[in-house]
Amino acid sequence: MIDALLAQDIVNRMKHIIQQELNFFSTEGIIIASTDPSRIGQQNHQGAQFVLEANQAIVIEYDDQYKGAKQGINLPVAIDHQMVGVIGITGKKEEVSQYGEIIKEMTEVLILNNMAKEVVYNRRNAHSHILTIIQDNDSAENQRSLDMVYGIDIDNQYYTAIAGLPLNSPSDYFFEQQSHFYLDLENLLSKDKRTIFEMRGNLFLALLPTQKSQKVTTTIQQICQLLEQKYHITLIFGAGTPGKGHGELKKSIDQAKTALSWNKHFSHQQTLAFTDMAYGLVLHDVNAGNKSYFLNNLFNDLPKQDIEHMLSLLDTYESCNGSIKQCAETLFIHKNTVQYQLNKITDLTGYDPRVLSDFFTLKLASILYKLQD
């Protein structure tokens, strides 16, 4: 059955084009939408009943030639060879006949377009619900609903989770274009109907039906290429380990998010697998209380601006492999200024970056501080 709001939108659009009054009849012959509000709800329209029964258009030469009908033309509206309603144009035969087939076809196109949007919307909600169940619930009832309602068998199908974020802080443009992103991603990822994905805020999350790391990498490359070329947006990703069943898939999603966070702060590459995080495998899960105590003790209530300037210098010092000369050239400052700033770090923290064991402590502090973001 066609929704009355959709039918009203259609007749309003059509009137704007042909400047004639239009009605849309349900399959029961009731006017559910009209550009003449007084006719909405009218029943016993014999002209519409004739079209519904004969499945063919009818021209009404004068008012009440058919009971309840005004002069004009009524045409069947069908989707996939199934009658879904009748579209009627009110007016003199010579004025409205020329529009009949065009209006019928445009009505069918608009209905199909709306149905396609509903399919995408329903799939989007389904995917979001599936991912929510996997991440938040572990009851047997919820797991059965995945199979019965959505046809998703997570107990026998291996999936690999991936999570992505814009490399830079998302602009208003990113959020304005999200519906378009989703449709493009739908076209790309729906080649395998088992793929489950969602975009929530600026986070992209997906379960790819594969165990193969190369296939995961290829899919991520395709996503990045699509968004880079069409929208000039760069995404970076984290990937979890393959798994099946609620517990393993929840773990895979958590791993993908962890790898993504590490990638954004430290690796800055297109994809980082959880298993490739090196010492990040240990540091990402440091007890929050211990982390806070360690950082507070080392930075000793320094202002945030001072801490971030200190860490920026340490990053450059590390990338220059401890070379004062190269560090100065990179920062466009004098070597003595680099030495002065390193001495200042020592004075503030008690740790000298030029001493390997002290640098390790400062590096650890830098990592844990950035992971707080």
Side-chain angles (χ1 to χ4, degrees), residues 156-201:
N156 296 300
Q157 170 65 52
Y158 275 95
Y159 284 90
T160 301
I162 61 172
L165 282 171
L167 179 59
N168 301 310
S169 297
S171 62
D172 291 341
Y173 173 78
F174 178 86
F175 294 105
E176 289 167 0
Q177 296 297 315
Q178 276 207 353
S179 293
H180 299 294
F181 297 164
Y182 189 93
L183 290 175
D184 285 331
L185 291 169
E186 171 82 13
N187 291 333
L188 174 66
L189 298 174
S190 63
K191 294 170 186 175
D192 190 328
K193 301 299 183 184
R194 298 170 298 174
T195 302
I196 304 163
F197 78 96
E198 71 169 351
M199 289 193 70
R200 189 172 298 186

Side-chain angles (χ1 to χ4, degrees), residues 76-224:
V77 177
I79 302 296
D80 293 332
H81 308 291
Q82 182 175 352
M83 184 90 70
V84 296
V86 174
I87 188 79
I89 312 172
T90 303
K92 295 178 180 179
K93 175 182 175 180
E94 57 271 19
E95 293 177 353
V96 301
S97 295
Q98 60 182 319
Y99 300 122
E101 284 301 319
I102 296 174
I103 294 300
K104 166 184 161 65
E105 290 180 12
M106 290 180 68
T107 299
E108 291 171 348
V109 167
L110 289 171
I111 292 172
L112 282 170
N113 185 53
N114 185 75
M115 290 171 65
K117 288 180 179 178
E118 285 187 354
V119 168
V120 172
Y121 178 78
N122 290 338
R123 187 182 294 119
R124 184 184 305 187
N125 284 344
H127 284 194
S128 180
H129 189 221
I130 290 166
L131 290 168
T132 297
I133 287 176
I134 290 173
Q135 292 177 88
D136 297 340
N137 302 293
D138 58 2
S139 71
E141 181 179 347
N142 279 318
Q143 297 312 302
R144 283 195 297 270
S145 73
L146 291 180
D147 190 7
M148 291 188 297
V149 177
Y150 300 112
I152 302 293
D153 185 4
I154 63 172
D155 290 324
N156 296 300
Q157 170 65 52
Y158 275 95
Y159 284 90
T160 301
I162 61 172
L165 282 171
L167 179 59
N168 301 310
S169 297
S171 62
D172 291 341
Y173 173 78
F174 178 86
F175 294 105
E176 289 167 0
Q177 296 297 315
Q178 276 207 353
S179 293
H180 299 294
F181 297 164
Y182 189 93
L183 290 175
D184 285 331
L185 291 169
E186 171 82 13
N187 291 333
L188 174 66
L189 298 174
S190 63
K191 294 170 186 175
D192 190 328
K193 301 299 183 184
R194 298 170 298 174
T195 302
I196 304 163
F197 78 96
E198 71 169 351
M199 289 193 70
R200 189 172 298 186
N202 63 345
L203 176 68
F204 172 86
L205 181 63
L207 289 174
L208 305 180
T210 183
Q211 293 177 265
K212 298 178 180 179
S213 60
Q214 184 55 51
K215 188 170 182 181
V216 172
T217 300
T218 299
T219 300
I220 290 174
Q221 288 172 345
Q222 291 171 339
I223 294 171
C224 290

Side-chain angles (χ1 to χ4, degrees), residues 251-264:
K251 183 171 77 171
S252 183
I253 291 172
D254 289 341
Q255 290 173 341
K257 290 179 177 179
T258 297
L260 171 60
S261 175
W262 192 266
N263 193 13
K264 189 170 179 66

Side-chain angles (χ1 to χ4, degrees), residues 286-318:
V286 173
N287 176 274
N290 293 340
K291 183 192 302 182
S292 179
Y293 179 81
F294 173 72
L295 292 175
N296 290 337
N297 188 54
L298 190 141
F299 292 134
N300 196 27
D301 296 325
L302 287 171
K304 181 179 180 181
Q305 183 177 352
D306 290 353
I307 294 173
E308 292 182 351
H309 180 267
M310 180 192 309
L311 299 185
S312 177
L313 176 62
L314 286 171
D315 288 343
T316 305
Y317 183 68
E318 180 186 14

